[in-house]
Amino acid sequence: MERVVAKDYVFHRDFSKQYPVITHAEGVYLYDEHGKRYLDASSGAIAANLGHGVTEIAEAMAEQAKKAGFVHTLRFETKVLHELAAEIGKMAPPSLNRVYFTSGGSEANESAMKLARQYHRDRGKPEKHVVIGRWQGYHGNTLGSLSAGGDSKRRKPYTATLAKFEHIHSPYCHRCPYKRSEEICQREKLLPCAEELERLIKEIGPESISSFICEPIVGSQQGAVVPPDGYLQRVREICDQNDIVFIVDEVMTGFGRTGTDFASEQFGIQPDIITFGKGVSAGYAPLAGMIVSDRIVDSLIENGDGHFIHGYTFSGHPVSVAAGLAAVRYYQRENVLSNCREQSVYLFQRLSELQQKHSSMGQIRGKGLLIGFELLMDRSQDRMFPPSFGAAERLNQEAIKRGATFYPGSGTIDGTNGDHLLIGPPLTITRDEIDELIAILDQALTAFELQVHKLIGKEE
Ligand SMILES: Cc1ncc(COP(=O)(O)O)c(C=O)c1O
């Protein structure tokens, strides 16, 4: 391999790549220094839910920076902090009312897992410390959140440093790890993927388990995989029966991404803690956090001394919180969620039309404007790409050449095999812009499939 030479002062995400430099952005479009336009079909990292260039959010941030740019929440609070917490508390399920802010989703999940642990300690159960996550789940890249997640590619280089957390399979009905069909599971009212949690709890002993964490819809690792009916309710029951804190990671799915404020409500569950990020500030400032149930907060006050032994310098940063407040008001005033639901129907329809034309498009799934599809060498034979082909990244490169960017993912099925493309445009996208997104994806798939034919030719 040619030696990569560092040409500037930036520690790039990948030194073997050249990244376009974006000079400005407007609506669903990004523009680079050469004037090239990209349709941002992934809202960055599924964060820019309101699109780019919303001046009222920028102005709210500037106003707050002028008033008080930094306030340490260990000593003081701000009005915007209270206002945003109240808005989020009202959006959350009824029993979750207290909002704790962080800068990113990984920090939010670290906070949730630590709070669960403190909750048990305060109640005289210090031995409850193990976190259970799921294979193929993603909760962030800090060591704790990476330990809870189940992406083998991201975990592998750090295995020795990770915490000893446990994992169960994610429910991926289309490729069920138990080789069952969703129909059979529903008919028999038995979901082995949920029962696996109970089995693992029995094996380890509920007395040592602190929390279970999962995404309601698996985002980046599997490309918008929705769990079967009844799955999250059964998990809720199992957590209750075993005194385990149920953390639902809505960092990607929260703030309207799936058509409702939080995806949890579509599954009829009330988690003990919801973590959020990304869409809360629509990407305008680093902001994330957790919404905590009354039960946990009451315990902190009654069984502890009211002090959560945790905190970050930038928790509740006034400028970030001001961005969040302006974003939340924009979502509400512009009825953004109703646009999300309407355009979701249209995008699903256009994608299934495209699927008729492209043999590399496998199962299409998701909710709201969090939609993914599997990439296959040949759908009729359900043939997967060799991981070394880097199928999803190749397809996205073809899209970028043609002026759109998506969210490619690999290791979809078991951490090594499987590829998918995740589509998550700003929730403000219009029908015409969806038509443009589809036209570019169509051209990109055509170019991609030419590469696939060459690969098949080589193999035969
Ligand atoms: C579900 C989920 N949880 C947590 C995270 C981590 O968030 P952050 O990158 O802001 O730390 C992400 C990021 O993609 C995510 O999708």
Side-chain angles (χ1 to χ4, degrees), residues 132-135 167-186 188-201 212-214 216 218 222 225-236 238-239 246:
I132 302 180
R134 298 191 308 197
W135 295 118
H167 298 83
I168 59 169
H169 285 103
S170 283
Y172 191 178
C173 297
H174 184 58
R175 301 192 182 278
C176 174
Y178 289 92
K179 310 279 178 250
R180 282 164 63 96
S181 74
E182 196 172 353
E183 205 190 330
I184 292 179
C185 286
Q186 295 303 339
E188 294 179 357
K189 298 202 179 335
L190 179 75
L191 300 170
C193 46
E195 299 312 319
E196 188 180 334
L197 176 61
E198 185 157 62
R199 236 192 11 254
L200 181 64
I201 294 168
F212 173 69
I213 182 166
C214 71
V218 185
Q222 289 197 304
V225 170
V226 180
D229 284 350
Y231 173 84
L232 288 168
Q233 283 102 322
R234 180 68 188 123
V235 165
R236 171 76 272 183
I238 296 170
C239 288
F246 185 15

Side-chain angles (χ1 to χ4, degrees), residues 301-359:
I301 297 165
E302 283 156 26
N303 302 318
D305 59 3
H307 174 211
F308 176 29
I309 309 163
H310 183 62
Y312 303 105
T313 299
F314 292 137
S315 292
H317 189 282
V319 177
S320 294
V321 166
L325 185 61
V328 165
R329 290 190 172 143
Y330 190 94
Y331 279 105
Q332 291 164 353
R333 195 191 64 230
E334 300 297 323
N335 224 348
V336 171
L337 272 60
S338 113
N339 187 63
C340 166
R341 291 189 288 269
E342 188 184 325
Q343 303 307 337
S344 166
V345 176
Y346 186 57
L347 183 51
F348 267 111
Q349 177 207 315
R350 295 295 327 263
L351 284 168
S352 52
E353 285 162 17
L354 206 59
Q355 195 184 37
Q356 302 313 308
K357 193 172 159 191
H358 293 286
S359 60

Side-chain angles (χ1 to χ4, degrees), residues 104-106 109 138-140 215 220 249 251-252 278 407:
S106 309
N109 287 324
Y138 181 62
H139 304 296
E215 297 157 82
S220 57
D249 177 347
V251 169
M252 189 174 275
K278 299 183 185 272
Y407 203 144

Side-chain angles (χ1 to χ4, degrees), residues 75-320:
R75 309 265 172 258
F76 304 101
E77 290 179 347
T78 52
K79 218 168 146 225
V80 272
L81 174 84
H82 281 264
E83 285 175 332
L84 181 59
E87 291 293 348
I88 296 173
K90 284 183 226 155
M91 286 158 73
S95 61
L96 282 82
N97 288 297
R98 300 296 183 289
V99 186
Y100 184 100
F101 291 104
T102 65
S103 303
S106 309
E107 284 182 358
N109 287 324
E110 297 283 342
S111 308
M113 293 184 285
K114 285 177 76 177
L115 181 61
R117 166 90 179 124
Q118 187 172 335
Y119 167 70
H120 293 303
R121 284 195 68 211
D122 286 349
R123 290 158 62 242
K125 298 186 175 184
E127 64 288 359
K128 278 178 97 64
H129 68 286
V130 176
V131 178
I132 302 180
R134 298 191 308 197
W135 295 118
Q136 307 311 106
Y138 181 62
H139 304 296
N141 263 331
T142 51
L143 287 173
S145 60
L146 191 62
S147 305
D151 172 24
S152 43
K153 285 186 306 316
R154 284 187 169 102
R155 290 169 56 94
K156 210 169 172 187
Y158 307 104
T159 312
T161 340
L162 296 181
K164 288 196 170 36
F165 292 168
E166 300 283 342
H167 298 83
I168 59 169
H169 285 103
S170 283
Y172 191 178
C173 297
H174 184 58
R175 301 192 182 278
C176 174
Y178 289 92
K179 310 279 178 250
R180 282 164 63 96
S181 74
E182 196 172 353
E183 205 190 330
I184 292 179
C185 286
Q186 295 303 339
R187 197 174 339 118
E188 294 179 357
K189 298 202 179 335
L190 179 75
L191 300 170
C193 46
E195 299 312 319
E196 188 180 334
L197 176 61
E198 185 157 62
R199 236 192 11 254
L200 181 64
I201 294 168
K202 277 203 185 118
E203 194 182 307
I204 315 171
E207 63 286 347
S208 62
I209 301 163
S210 168
S211 57
F212 173 69
I213 182 166
C214 71
E215 297 157 82
I217 295 173
V218 185
S220 57
Q221 284 315 119
Q222 289 197 304
V225 170
V226 180
D229 284 350
Y231 173 84
L232 288 168
Q233 283 102 322
R234 180 68 188 123
V235 165
R236 171 76 272 183
E237 251 170 46
I238 296 170
C239 288
D240 284 343
Q241 286 157 4
N242 293 282
D243 191 16
I244 290 169
V245 172
F246 185 15
I247 303 166
V248 173
D249 177 347
E250 296 236 27
V251 169
M252 189 174 275
T253 51
F255 291 86
R257 177 51 63 186
T258 68
T260 48
D261 287 331
F262 294 101
S264 309
E265 63 192 83
Q266 297 183 47
F267 299 102
I269 50 154
Q270 295 208 35
D272 297 309
I273 303 177
I274 288 178
T275 54
F276 61 86
K278 299 183 185 272
V280 60
S281 64
Y284 282 77
L287 183 66
M290 60 175 171
I291 321 169
V292 182
S293 71
D294 298 340
R295 181 159 59 96
I296 293 180
V297 175
D298 291 348
S299 164
L300 186 70
I301 297 165
E302 283 156 26
N303 302 318
D305 59 3
H307 174 211
F308 176 29
I309 309 163
H310 183 62
Y312 303 105
T313 299
F314 292 137
S315 292
H317 189 282
V319 177
S320 294

